[in-house]
Amino acid sequence: MERSMIATRRSSPPASGPSGPSGPADQTGPVDARGASETAVSATALAPTGLAPAPVQAPAAPAAGTLAPEGAPPAQRSGGASLPGRYDRQLGLPGFGPAAQERLRGATVLVAGIGGVGGAAATYLAAAGVGRLVLVHPGALEEPDLNRQTLMRPEWIGGSRVACAEQTLRAHHPGVEIVALDRELSQLPELGRLVAEADVVVDARHNFPDRYLLNDVCVATRTPAVVAAMNATEGNMLVVRPGSPCLRCVFAEGDPSWQPLGFTVLGAVSGMVGCLAATEAIKIISGFGEPAAGRLLQFDLWDLDFQVLRARRDPHCPTCGGPSGSSQRPGPGEPQ
Protein backbone atom coordinates (compact mmCIF):
# COMPACT_ATOMS: atom_id res chain seq x y z
CA MET A 1 0.00 0.00 0.00
CA GLU A 2 1.82 3.07 0.03
CA ARG A 3 0.51 6.25 -1.41
CA SER A 4 -3.17 6.65 -1.79
CA MET A 5 -4.83 9.89 -1.20
CA ILE A 6 -2.02 12.27 -1.78
CA ALA A 7 -1.14 14.74 -4.46
CA THR A 8 2.31 16.09 -3.77
CA ARG A 9 1.81 19.65 -2.59
CA ARG A 10 5.11 20.93 -3.91
CA SER A 11 4.41 19.76 -7.44
CA SER A 12 0.62 19.81 -7.79
CA PRO A 13 -1.23 21.18 -4.77
CA PRO A 14 -4.43 19.24 -3.99
CA ALA A 15 -7.72 21.07 -3.78
CA SER A 16 -7.79 20.67 -0.02
CA GLY A 17 -9.76 22.44 2.65
CA PRO A 18 -8.52 25.22 4.93
CA SER A 19 -5.11 24.60 6.42
CA GLY A 20 -6.30 25.20 9.97
CA PRO A 21 -7.24 22.35 12.28
CA SER A 22 -10.92 23.26 12.35
CA GLY A 23 -11.58 23.83 8.64
CA PRO A 24 -13.64 21.37 6.58
CA ALA A 25 -11.71 18.83 4.56
CA ASP A 26 -12.45 19.15 0.86
CA GLN A 27 -12.53 16.27 -1.53
CA THR A 28 -8.80 16.14 -2.21
CA GLY A 29 -6.65 13.60 -3.73
CA PRO A 30 -6.93 9.88 -4.31
CA VAL A 31 -6.18 6.56 -2.91
CA ASP A 32 -4.44 3.66 -4.52
CA ALA A 33 -4.56 0.00 -5.24
CA ARG A 34 -2.70 -2.70 -7.00
CA GLY A 35 -3.17 -5.38 -9.54
CA ALA A 36 -2.19 -9.03 -9.57
CA SER A 37 -4.35 -11.93 -8.72
CA GLU A 38 -3.14 -15.00 -6.93
CA THR A 39 -4.61 -17.70 -4.82
CA ALA A 40 -4.14 -18.25 -1.12
CA VAL A 41 -1.42 -20.85 -0.66
CA SER A 42 0.67 -21.91 2.29
CA ALA A 43 3.62 -19.72 3.20
CA THR A 44 6.11 -22.48 2.43
CA ALA A 45 4.66 -23.03 -1.04
CA LEU A 46 4.95 -19.34 -1.80
CA ALA A 47 8.58 -19.04 -0.74
CA PRO A 48 11.22 -18.30 -3.40
CA THR A 49 12.61 -21.34 -5.17
CA GLY A 50 14.96 -23.25 -2.93
CA LEU A 51 13.81 -21.54 0.25
CA ALA A 52 11.50 -23.37 2.60
CA PRO A 53 11.20 -21.36 5.80
CA ALA A 54 11.12 -23.48 8.93
CA PRO A 55 7.99 -23.12 11.01
CA VAL A 56 8.47 -21.05 14.12
CA GLN A 57 7.16 -22.62 17.29
CA ALA A 58 6.20 -20.73 20.41
CA PRO A 59 8.33 -21.54 23.48
CA ALA A 60 6.60 -23.72 26.02
CA ALA A 61 5.34 -22.01 29.13
CA PRO A 62 6.77 -23.20 32.49
CA ALA A 63 4.64 -25.69 34.40
CA ALA A 64 2.15 -24.30 36.89
CA GLY A 65 3.77 -23.40 40.18
CA THR A 66 7.30 -23.19 38.76
CA LEU A 67 9.37 -20.18 37.89
CA ALA A 68 10.75 -19.65 34.43
CA PRO A 69 14.55 -19.36 34.31
CA GLU A 70 15.87 -15.83 34.34
CA GLY A 71 15.88 -14.38 30.84
CA ALA A 72 13.46 -16.99 29.53
CA PRO A 73 10.69 -15.73 27.18
CA PRO A 74 7.32 -15.09 28.85
CA ALA A 75 4.44 -17.49 28.44
CA GLN A 76 2.63 -16.98 25.17
CA ARG A 77 -1.01 -16.21 24.53
CA SER A 78 -3.47 -18.94 25.49
CA GLY A 79 -7.03 -19.21 26.73
CA GLY A 80 -6.98 -18.10 30.37
CA ALA A 81 -3.25 -17.46 30.76
CA SER A 82 -2.05 -14.33 32.48
CA LEU A 83 -0.83 -11.52 30.28
CA PRO A 84 2.71 -12.04 28.95
CA GLY A 85 5.38 -9.82 30.47
CA ARG A 86 6.13 -8.32 27.06
CA TYR A 87 3.17 -5.96 27.56
CA ASP A 88 4.25 -4.63 30.97
CA ARG A 89 5.41 -1.27 29.65
CA GLN A 90 2.10 -0.45 27.95
CA LEU A 91 -0.02 -1.80 30.81
CA GLY A 92 1.28 1.09 32.90
CA LEU A 93 -0.18 3.71 30.55
CA PRO A 94 -2.85 5.82 32.30
CA GLY A 95 -6.24 4.65 31.05
CA PHE A 96 -4.92 1.43 29.54
CA GLY A 97 -4.54 -1.54 31.88
CA PRO A 98 -5.33 -5.29 31.73
CA ALA A 99 -8.89 -4.84 30.43
CA ALA A 100 -7.64 -2.92 27.39
CA GLN A 101 -4.94 -5.54 26.83
CA GLU A 102 -7.52 -8.32 26.91
CA ARG A 103 -9.60 -6.48 24.31
CA LEU A 104 -6.55 -6.37 22.05
CA ARG A 105 -5.93 -10.07 22.63
CA GLY A 106 -9.46 -10.93 21.57
CA ALA A 107 -9.45 -8.67 18.51
CA THR A 108 -9.03 -9.25 14.78
CA VAL A 109 -7.51 -6.62 12.48
CA LEU A 110 -7.55 -6.93 8.70
CA VAL A 111 -4.56 -5.23 7.09
CA ALA A 112 -5.01 -4.68 3.36
CA GLY A 113 -1.56 -4.14 1.89
CA ILE A 114 1.60 -5.13 3.77
CA GLY A 115 4.12 -2.84 2.01
CA GLY A 116 5.85 0.02 3.77
CA VAL A 117 2.72 1.38 5.45
CA GLY A 118 0.79 -1.84 6.07
CA GLY A 119 3.89 -3.74 7.14
CA ALA A 120 4.69 -1.16 9.82
CA ALA A 121 1.06 -1.19 10.97
CA ALA A 122 1.01 -5.00 11.18
CA THR A 123 4.30 -5.02 13.10
CA TYR A 124 3.05 -2.73 15.85
CA LEU A 125 -0.40 -4.27 16.00
CA ALA A 126 1.24 -7.63 16.67
CA ALA A 127 3.68 -6.08 19.14
CA ALA A 128 0.79 -4.47 21.02
CA GLY A 129 -0.87 -7.86 21.44
CA VAL A 130 -3.65 -7.92 18.86
CA GLY A 131 -4.72 -11.56 18.86
CA ARG A 132 -5.42 -12.11 15.17
CA LEU A 133 -4.16 -10.43 12.00
CA VAL A 134 -5.57 -11.05 8.53
CA LEU A 135 -3.04 -9.89 5.94
CA VAL A 136 -4.12 -9.42 2.33
CA HIS A 137 -1.59 -8.56 -0.36
CA PRO A 138 -0.94 -9.89 -3.88
CA GLY A 139 2.32 -10.42 -5.66
CA ALA A 140 6.00 -11.20 -5.28
CA LEU A 141 8.75 -9.33 -3.46
CA GLU A 142 11.07 -7.21 -5.60
CA GLU A 143 14.37 -5.64 -4.63
CA PRO A 144 13.10 -2.00 -4.70
CA ASP A 145 10.55 -2.97 -2.03
CA LEU A 146 13.33 -3.41 0.53
CA ASN A 147 13.86 0.31 1.15
CA ARG A 148 10.69 0.44 3.24
CA GLN A 149 9.08 -2.97 3.71
CA THR A 150 10.65 -4.04 6.99
CA LEU A 151 8.82 -7.37 7.20
CA MET A 152 10.60 -8.49 4.02
CA ARG A 153 13.93 -10.29 3.73
CA PRO A 154 16.34 -10.24 0.77
CA GLU A 155 16.29 -14.03 0.41
CA TRP A 156 12.54 -13.83 -0.29
CA ILE A 157 12.95 -11.80 -3.50
CA GLY A 158 10.73 -13.47 -6.08
CA GLY A 159 8.52 -15.05 -3.42
CA SER A 160 5.18 -14.01 -1.98
CA ARG A 161 5.36 -10.81 0.03
CA VAL A 162 2.45 -11.68 2.28
CA ALA A 163 3.98 -15.09 3.05
CA CYS A 164 7.26 -13.44 4.00
CA ALA A 165 5.40 -10.97 6.21
CA GLU A 166 3.60 -13.87 7.88
CA GLN A 167 6.86 -15.71 8.60
CA THR A 168 8.57 -12.61 9.99
CA LEU A 169 5.67 -11.75 12.26
CA ARG A 170 5.41 -15.34 13.51
CA ALA A 171 9.10 -15.32 14.42
CA HIS A 172 8.70 -12.23 16.60
CA HIS A 173 5.15 -12.76 17.85
CA PRO A 174 4.38 -16.50 17.96
CA GLY A 175 1.30 -15.88 20.11
CA VAL A 176 -0.47 -13.94 17.38
CA GLU A 177 -2.71 -15.82 14.95
CA ILE A 178 -1.95 -14.75 11.39
CA VAL A 179 -3.96 -15.42 8.25
CA ALA A 180 -2.08 -14.58 5.04
CA LEU A 181 -3.92 -14.20 1.73
CA ASP A 182 -1.90 -13.68 -1.45
CA ARG A 183 -4.85 -12.30 -3.36
CA GLU A 184 -6.25 -9.14 -4.90
CA LEU A 185 -9.10 -7.66 -2.85
CA SER A 186 -11.33 -7.81 -5.90
CA GLN A 187 -10.56 -11.53 -6.20
CA LEU A 188 -11.68 -12.32 -2.65
CA PRO A 189 -15.31 -13.52 -2.67
CA GLU A 190 -15.09 -13.78 1.12
CA LEU A 191 -14.04 -10.13 1.55
CA GLY A 192 -17.38 -9.13 3.05
CA ARG A 193 -17.14 -11.85 5.68
CA LEU A 194 -13.51 -11.06 6.49
CA VAL A 195 -14.31 -7.38 6.99
CA ALA A 196 -17.42 -8.13 9.05
CA GLU A 197 -15.38 -10.41 11.33
CA ALA A 198 -12.71 -7.75 11.87
CA ASP A 199 -12.78 -5.23 14.71
CA VAL A 200 -10.84 -2.75 12.57
CA VAL A 201 -9.59 -2.63 8.98
CA VAL A 202 -6.30 -0.91 8.13
CA ASP A 203 -6.45 0.24 4.50
CA ALA A 204 -2.89 0.45 3.24
CA ARG A 205 -3.54 -0.22 -0.43
CA HIS A 206 -1.96 1.88 -3.15
CA ASN A 207 -4.83 2.52 -5.56
CA PHE A 208 -8.30 4.02 -5.52
CA PRO A 209 -10.32 1.03 -6.73
CA ASP A 210 -9.11 -1.10 -3.81
CA ARG A 211 -9.63 1.71 -1.32
CA TYR A 212 -13.15 2.44 -2.49
CA LEU A 213 -13.99 -1.27 -2.40
CA LEU A 214 -12.78 -1.54 1.19
CA ASN A 215 -14.55 1.67 2.15
CA ASP A 216 -17.87 0.45 0.79
CA VAL A 217 -17.62 -2.92 2.56
CA CYS A 218 -16.57 -1.31 5.85
CA VAL A 219 -19.50 1.11 5.75
CA ALA A 220 -21.94 -1.69 4.87
CA THR A 221 -20.72 -3.84 7.78
CA ARG A 222 -20.13 -0.88 10.13
CA THR A 223 -16.52 -1.92 10.60
CA PRO A 224 -14.17 0.91 11.65
CA ALA A 225 -11.37 1.64 9.17
CA VAL A 226 -8.07 3.47 9.30
CA VAL A 227 -7.14 4.72 5.83
CA ALA A 228 -3.40 5.40 5.56
CA ALA A 229 -1.40 6.67 2.58
CA MET A 230 1.93 8.23 1.70
CA ASN A 231 3.81 9.70 -1.24
CA ALA A 232 7.43 10.90 -1.19
CA THR A 233 7.65 12.81 2.13
CA GLU A 234 3.89 13.27 2.59
CA GLY A 235 1.36 11.25 4.54
CA ASN A 236 -2.43 11.16 4.94
CA MET A 237 -4.58 9.33 7.46
CA LEU A 238 -8.35 9.22 7.86
CA VAL A 239 -10.20 7.32 10.59
CA VAL A 240 -13.69 6.17 9.59
CA ARG A 241 -16.19 4.90 12.16
CA PRO A 242 -19.93 4.29 11.79
CA GLY A 243 -21.63 7.67 11.44
CA SER A 244 -18.45 9.59 10.60
CA PRO A 245 -17.49 10.80 7.09
CA CYS A 246 -16.31 7.91 4.95
CA LEU A 247 -13.54 7.89 2.36
CA ARG A 248 -15.90 8.84 -0.47
CA CYS A 249 -17.15 11.84 1.52
CA VAL A 250 -13.61 13.20 1.71
CA PHE A 251 -12.18 11.97 -1.59
CA ALA A 252 -15.19 11.73 -3.89
CA GLU A 253 -13.17 10.83 -6.98
CA GLY A 254 -9.90 9.10 -7.65
CA ASP A 255 -6.97 10.84 -9.31
CA PRO A 256 -6.71 9.75 -12.99
CA SER A 257 -3.06 10.83 -13.03
CA TRP A 258 -2.11 8.63 -10.08
CA GLN A 259 0.43 5.93 -10.93
CA PRO A 260 0.06 3.12 -8.36
CA LEU A 261 3.51 1.74 -9.10
CA GLY A 262 5.25 4.99 -10.02
CA PHE A 263 5.22 7.12 -6.87
CA THR A 264 8.37 7.87 -4.91
CA VAL A 265 8.91 6.50 -1.42
CA LEU A 266 11.13 7.49 1.48
CA GLY A 267 10.95 4.43 3.71
CA ALA A 268 10.89 6.29 7.02
CA VAL A 269 7.77 8.18 5.90
CA SER A 270 5.82 5.01 5.12
CA GLY A 271 6.90 3.59 8.48
CA MET A 272 5.63 6.66 10.29
CA VAL A 273 2.25 6.49 8.55
CA GLY A 274 1.95 2.80 9.40
CA CYS A 275 2.74 3.45 13.07
CA LEU A 276 0.08 6.16 13.21
CA ALA A 277 -2.45 3.78 11.65
CA ALA A 278 -1.58 1.06 14.17
CA THR A 279 -2.02 3.53 17.03
CA GLU A 280 -5.50 4.51 15.85
CA ALA A 281 -6.52 0.87 15.44
CA ILE A 282 -5.26 0.09 18.95
CA LYS A 283 -7.24 3.02 20.37
CA ILE A 284 -10.44 1.91 18.63
CA ILE A 285 -10.13 -1.67 19.88
CA SER A 286 -8.95 -1.03 23.41
CA GLY A 287 -11.01 2.04 24.27
CA PHE A 288 -7.78 3.84 25.16
CA GLY A 289 -7.32 7.46 24.11
CA GLU A 290 -9.44 9.35 21.60
CA PRO A 291 -9.61 7.91 18.06
CA ALA A 292 -9.40 10.58 15.38
CA ALA A 293 -12.72 9.70 13.69
CA GLY A 294 -13.92 12.39 11.29
CA ARG A 295 -10.52 14.03 11.06
CA LEU A 296 -8.04 13.96 8.19
CA LEU A 297 -4.38 14.17 9.12
CA GLN A 298 -2.09 15.54 6.43
CA PHE A 299 1.63 16.07 6.89
CA ASP A 300 4.78 16.71 4.92
CA LEU A 301 8.07 15.72 6.53
CA TRP A 302 9.93 17.82 3.97
CA ASP A 303 9.42 20.78 6.30
CA LEU A 304 7.70 19.01 9.23
CA ASP A 305 4.34 20.55 8.37
CA PHE A 306 1.31 18.95 10.05
CA GLN A 307 -2.38 19.81 9.83
CA VAL A 308 -5.59 18.15 10.95
CA LEU A 309 -8.71 18.94 8.96
CA ARG A 310 -12.25 18.33 10.14
CA ALA A 311 -13.98 16.12 7.58
CA ARG A 312 -17.64 16.65 6.65
CA ARG A 313 -20.09 13.90 5.88
CA ASP A 314 -21.59 14.23 2.40
CA PRO A 315 -25.38 13.72 2.59
CA HIS A 316 -25.28 12.68 -1.06
CA CYS A 317 -22.39 10.22 -0.65
CA PRO A 318 -23.23 7.04 -2.62
CA THR A 319 -21.72 4.93 0.17
CA CYS A 320 -22.78 6.42 3.50
CA GLY A 321 -25.31 9.13 2.63
CA GLY A 322 -29.00 8.62 3.45
CA PRO A 323 -30.70 6.09 5.72
CA SER A 324 -28.75 3.09 4.45
CA GLY A 325 -25.55 4.55 5.80
CA SER A 326 -26.76 5.27 9.30
CA SER A 327 -29.22 2.63 10.44
CA GLN A 328 -27.11 -0.44 11.14
CA ARG A 329 -25.74 -2.03 14.27
CA PRO A 330 -23.25 -0.06 16.42
CA GLY A 331 -19.60 -0.63 15.60
CA PRO A 332 -16.89 -1.59 18.13
CA GLY A 333 -16.68 0.96 20.92
CA GLU A 334 -19.98 2.65 19.98
CA PRO A 335 -22.78 3.13 22.47
CA GLN A 336 -25.66 0.69 22.02
Side-chain angles (χ1 to χ4, degrees), residues 13 16 28 46 65 90 135 144 160-161 172 186 208 260 273 278 305 308:
S16 61
T28 69
L46 291 167
Q90 66 196 45
L135 312 178
S160 166
R161 273 190 285 183
H172 290 282
S186 60
F208 284 102
V273 177
D305 177 43
V308 179

Side-chain angles (χ1 to χ4, degrees), residues 4-336:
S4 273
M5 334 176 280
I6 299 180
T8 302
R9 285 185 285 126
R10 286 183 302 282
S11 59
S12 55
S16 61
S19 58
S22 62
D26 262 349
Q27 281 73 301
T28 69
V31 195
D32 3 28
R34 178 158 234 148
S37 65
E38 323 222 347
T39 53
V41 191
S42 70
T44 301
L46 291 167
T49 303
L51 176 64
V56 179
Q57 299 193 0
T66 65
L67 294 176
E70 184 177 354
Q76 296 301 317
R77 173 175 173 262
S78 63
S82 59
L83 294 172
R86 67 170 63 197
Y87 307 126
D88 284 353
R89 300 295 289 270
Q90 66 196 45
L91 286 169
L93 285 168
F96 197 79
Q101 191 64 56
E102 289 292 349
R103 285 191 286 271
L104 289 175
R105 179 157 66 173
T108 294
V109 178
L110 187 153
V111 182
I114 45 82
V117 173
T123 296
Y124 283 98
L125 288 167
V130 169
R132 184 171 183 262
L133 293 176
V134 179
L135 312 178
V136 184
H137 194 111
L141 177 65
E142 299 177 357
E143 187 173 10
D145 299 325
L146 297 175
N147 84 317
R148 64 198 182 279
Q149 298 182 13
T150 56
L151 290 177
M152 305 302 147
R153 305 197 299 274
E155 64 269 24
W156 274 77
I157 290 175
S160 166
R161 273 190 285 183
V162 75
C164 184
E166 176 189 14
Q167 289 291 308
T168 304
L169 287 169
R170 286 187 187 281
H172 290 282
H173 309 285
V176 177
E177 179 186 351
I178 299 172
V179 177
L181 299 171
D182 194 318
R183 300 278 294 281
E184 287 283 357
L185 290 174
S186 60
Q187 300 297 318
L188 272 178
E190 67 271 36
L191 180 62
R193 174 181 59 80
L194 292 172
V195 170
E197 292 174 350
D199 294 274
V200 181
V201 168
V202 174
D203 173 8
R205 292 300 292 140
H206 67 299
N207 61 58
F208 284 102
D210 277 8
R211 290 194 184 272
Y212 286 144
L213 173 60
L214 271 179
N215 176 75
D216 295 351
V217 177
C218 285
V219 170
T221 59
R222 296 187 71 79
T223 303
V226 182
V227 185
M230 64 82 58
N231 182 30
T233 58
E234 297 182 4
N236 277 9
M237 185 180 69
L238 176 70
V239 177
V240 180
R241 300 183 77 175
S244 73
C246 78
L247 179 64
R248 287 187 189 271
C249 292
V250 181
F251 297 95
E253 299 178 357
D255 181 358
S257 66
W258 174 245
Q259 297 294 323
L261 301 180
F263 61 97
T264 55
V265 180
L266 182 62
V269 180
S270 57
M272 178 175 173
V273 177
C275 288
L276 289 169
T279 301
E280 288 301 311
I282 289 167
K283 290 194 294 182
I284 291 170
I285 295 166
S286 67
F288 167 74
E290 298 180 6
R295 285 174 282 173
L296 172 66
L297 168 66
Q298 295 185 318
F299 65 84
D300 190 346
L301 297 186
W302 177 272
D303 53 2
L304 213 61
D305 177 43
F306 286 75
Q307 59 181 346
V308 179
L309 306 177
R310 182 68 63 180
R312 290 180 174 174
R313 190 169 179 185
D314 181 359
H316 304 293
C317 174
T319 299
C320 73
S324 62
S326 58
S327 61
Q328 296 150 320
R329 62 178 174 83
E334 286 189 288
Q336 299 291 325

